[in-house]
mmCIF file of all heavy atoms in Angstrom:
data_model
loop_
_atom_site.group_PDB
_atom_site.id
_atom_site.type_symbol
_atom_site.label_atom_id
_atom_site.label_comp_id
_atom_site.label_asym_id
_atom_site.label_seq_id
_atom_site.Cartn_x
_atom_site.Cartn_y
_atom_site.Cartn_z
ATOM 1 N N PRO H 149 15.222 0.219 -9.435
ATOM 2 C CA PRO H 149 14.102 0.098 -8.507
ATOM 3 C C PRO H 149 13.532 -1.312 -8.430
ATOM 4 O O PRO H 149 13.738 -2.131 -9.319
ATOM 5 C CB PRO H 149 13.068 1.030 -9.127
ATOM 6 C CG PRO H 149 13.295 0.868 -10.605
ATOM 7 C CD PRO H 149 14.791 0.636 -10.769
ATOM 8 N N SER H 150 12.791 -1.567 -7.371
ATOM 9 C CA SER H 150 11.800 -2.636 -7.355
ATOM 10 C C SER H 150 10.465 -1.979 -7.660
ATOM 11 O O SER H 150 10.182 -0.886 -7.172
ATOM 12 C CB SER H 150 11.741 -3.332 -5.991
ATOM 13 O OG SER H 150 12.847 -4.164 -5.816
ATOM 14 N N LEU H 151 9.668 -2.637 -8.468
ATOM 15 C CA LEU H 151 8.374 -2.078 -8.858
ATOM 16 C C LEU H 151 7.279 -3.078 -8.534
ATOM 17 O O LEU H 151 7.459 -4.288 -8.695
ATOM 18 C CB LEU H 151 8.356 -1.761 -10.357
ATOM 19 C CG LEU H 151 9.295 -0.636 -10.799
ATOM 20 C CD1 LEU H 151 9.583 -0.731 -12.275
ATOM 21 C CD2 LEU H 151 8.695 0.719 -10.457
ATOM 22 N N PHE H 152 6.141 -2.561 -8.110
ATOM 23 C CA PHE H 152 5.028 -3.394 -7.665
ATOM 24 C C PHE H 152 3.729 -2.862 -8.260
ATOM 25 O O PHE H 152 3.588 -1.669 -8.526
ATOM 26 C CB PHE H 152 4.886 -3.344 -6.138
ATOM 27 C CG PHE H 152 6.138 -3.617 -5.365
ATOM 28 C CD1 PHE H 152 7.074 -2.603 -5.153
ATOM 29 C CD2 PHE H 152 6.379 -4.864 -4.828
ATOM 30 C CE1 PHE H 152 8.231 -2.838 -4.429
ATOM 31 C CE2 PHE H 152 7.528 -5.106 -4.099
ATOM 32 C CZ PHE H 152 8.452 -4.098 -3.901
ATOM 33 N N TRP H 153 2.788 -3.769 -8.407
ATOM 34 C CA TRP H 153 1.397 -3.400 -8.611
ATOM 35 C C TRP H 153 0.580 -4.032 -7.484
ATOM 36 O O TRP H 153 0.703 -5.232 -7.196
ATOM 37 C CB TRP H 153 0.863 -3.899 -9.955
ATOM 38 C CG TRP H 153 1.164 -3.007 -11.109
ATOM 39 C CD1 TRP H 153 2.167 -3.140 -12.025
ATOM 40 C CD2 TRP H 153 0.438 -1.835 -11.497
ATOM 41 N NE1 TRP H 153 2.117 -2.131 -12.954
ATOM 42 C CE2 TRP H 153 1.060 -1.313 -12.661
ATOM 43 C CE3 TRP H 153 -0.691 -1.172 -10.994
ATOM 44 C CZ2 TRP H 153 0.603 -0.175 -13.309
ATOM 45 C CZ3 TRP H 153 -1.140 -0.041 -11.640
ATOM 46 C CH2 TRP H 153 -0.500 0.448 -12.780
ATOM 47 N N TYR H 154 -0.243 -3.176 -6.854
ATOM 48 C CA TYR H 154 -1.176 -3.621 -5.826
ATOM 49 C C TYR H 154 -2.599 -3.332 -6.294
ATOM 50 O O TYR H 154 -2.840 -2.376 -7.025
ATOM 51 C CB TYR H 154 -0.957 -2.861 -4.513
ATOM 52 C CG TYR H 154 0.285 -3.222 -3.728
ATOM 53 C CD1 TYR H 154 1.498 -2.589 -3.975
ATOM 54 C CD2 TYR H 154 0.235 -4.173 -2.717
ATOM 55 C CE1 TYR H 154 2.632 -2.908 -3.226
ATOM 56 C CE2 TYR H 154 1.360 -4.486 -1.958
ATOM 57 C CZ TYR H 154 2.547 -3.852 -2.214
ATOM 58 O OH TYR H 154 3.668 -4.161 -1.472
ATOM 59 N N VAL H 155 -3.531 -4.138 -5.796
ATOM 60 C CA VAL H 155 -4.958 -3.904 -6.051
ATOM 61 C C VAL H 155 -5.661 -3.693 -4.723
ATOM 62 O O VAL H 155 -5.311 -4.320 -3.707
ATOM 63 C CB VAL H 155 -5.588 -5.082 -6.838
ATOM 64 C CG1 VAL H 155 -5.494 -6.396 -6.058
ATOM 65 C CG2 VAL H 155 -7.052 -4.777 -7.173
ATOM 66 N N GLN H 156 -6.628 -2.775 -4.726
ATOM 67 C CA GLN H 156 -7.410 -2.497 -3.515
ATOM 68 C C GLN H 156 -8.889 -2.513 -3.869
ATOM 69 O O GLN H 156 -9.363 -1.657 -4.622
ATOM 70 C CB GLN H 156 -7.036 -1.146 -2.917
ATOM 71 C CG GLN H 156 -7.729 -0.860 -1.599
ATOM 72 C CD GLN H 156 -7.345 0.483 -1.003
ATOM 73 O OE1 GLN H 156 -7.068 1.435 -1.718
ATOM 74 N NE2 GLN H 156 -7.346 0.563 0.329
ATOM 75 N N HIS H 157 -9.601 -3.475 -3.325
ATOM 76 C CA HIS H 157 -11.047 -3.484 -3.450
ATOM 77 C C HIS H 157 -11.642 -2.584 -2.375
ATOM 78 O O HIS H 157 -10.985 -2.309 -1.365
ATOM 79 C CB HIS H 157 -11.577 -4.915 -3.361
ATOM 80 C CG HIS H 157 -11.245 -5.736 -4.559
ATOM 81 N ND1 HIS H 157 -10.088 -6.483 -4.667
ATOM 82 C CD2 HIS H 157 -11.894 -5.910 -5.735
ATOM 83 C CE1 HIS H 157 -10.052 -7.087 -5.844
ATOM 84 N NE2 HIS H 157 -11.141 -6.748 -6.515
ATOM 85 N N PRO H 158 -12.874 -2.101 -2.567
ATOM 86 C CA PRO H 158 -13.456 -1.129 -1.634
ATOM 87 C C PRO H 158 -13.377 -1.579 -0.184
ATOM 88 O O PRO H 158 -13.744 -2.717 0.155
ATOM 89 C CB PRO H 158 -14.897 -1.013 -2.129
ATOM 90 C CG PRO H 158 -14.817 -1.324 -3.589
ATOM 91 C CD PRO H 158 -13.763 -2.384 -3.710
ATOM 92 N N ASN H 159 -12.876 -0.659 0.642
ATOM 93 C CA ASN H 159 -12.773 -0.877 2.082
ATOM 94 C C ASN H 159 -11.928 -2.089 2.457
ATOM 95 O O ASN H 159 -12.161 -2.727 3.503
ATOM 96 C CB ASN H 159 -14.167 -1.000 2.705
ATOM 97 C CG ASN H 159 -14.920 0.309 2.634
ATOM 98 O OD1 ASN H 159 -14.402 1.348 3.029
ATOM 99 N ND2 ASN H 159 -16.115 0.269 2.093
ATOM 100 N N LYS H 160 -10.977 -2.408 1.610
ATOM 101 C CA LYS H 160 -10.065 -3.520 1.876
ATOM 102 C C LYS H 160 -8.626 -3.018 1.876
ATOM 103 O O LYS H 160 -8.333 -1.910 1.403
ATOM 104 C CB LYS H 160 -10.218 -4.608 0.803
ATOM 105 C CG LYS H 160 -11.614 -5.200 0.701
ATOM 106 C CD LYS H 160 -11.970 -6.024 1.917
ATOM 107 C CE LYS H 160 -13.305 -6.711 1.731
ATOM 108 N NZ LYS H 160 -13.717 -7.466 2.947
ATOM 109 N N GLY H 161 -7.728 -3.856 2.382
ATOM 110 C CA GLY H 161 -6.313 -3.532 2.302
ATOM 111 C C GLY H 161 -5.774 -3.726 0.901
ATOM 112 O O GLY H 161 -6.502 -4.121 -0.014
ATOM 113 N N LEU H 162 -4.494 -3.454 0.721
ATOM 114 C CA LEU H 162 -3.857 -3.610 -0.583
ATOM 115 C C LEU H 162 -3.337 -5.039 -0.736
ATOM 116 O O LEU H 162 -2.678 -5.567 0.159
ATOM 117 C CB LEU H 162 -2.690 -2.622 -0.722
ATOM 118 C CG LEU H 162 -3.040 -1.225 -1.218
ATOM 119 C CD1 LEU H 162 -3.820 -0.458 -0.171
ATOM 120 C CD2 LEU H 162 -1.771 -0.469 -1.603
ATOM 121 N N GLN H 163 -3.610 -5.614 -1.896
ATOM 122 C CA GLN H 163 -3.155 -6.964 -2.187
ATOM 123 C C GLN H 163 -2.108 -6.897 -3.294
ATOM 124 O O GLN H 163 -2.315 -6.235 -4.316
ATOM 125 C CB GLN H 163 -4.327 -7.832 -2.636
ATOM 126 C CG GLN H 163 -3.938 -9.269 -2.963
ATOM 127 C CD GLN H 163 -5.091 -10.080 -3.509
ATOM 128 O OE1 GLN H 163 -6.095 -9.541 -3.967
ATOM 129 N NE2 GLN H 163 -4.953 -11.399 -3.465
#
Side-chain angles (χ1 to χ4, degrees):
Chain H
S150 285
L151 293 159
F152 309 82
W153 276 99
Y154 287 88
V155 61
Q156 185 180 32
H157 289 90
N159 293 309
K160 301 291 186 183
L162 274 70
Q163 180 185 18

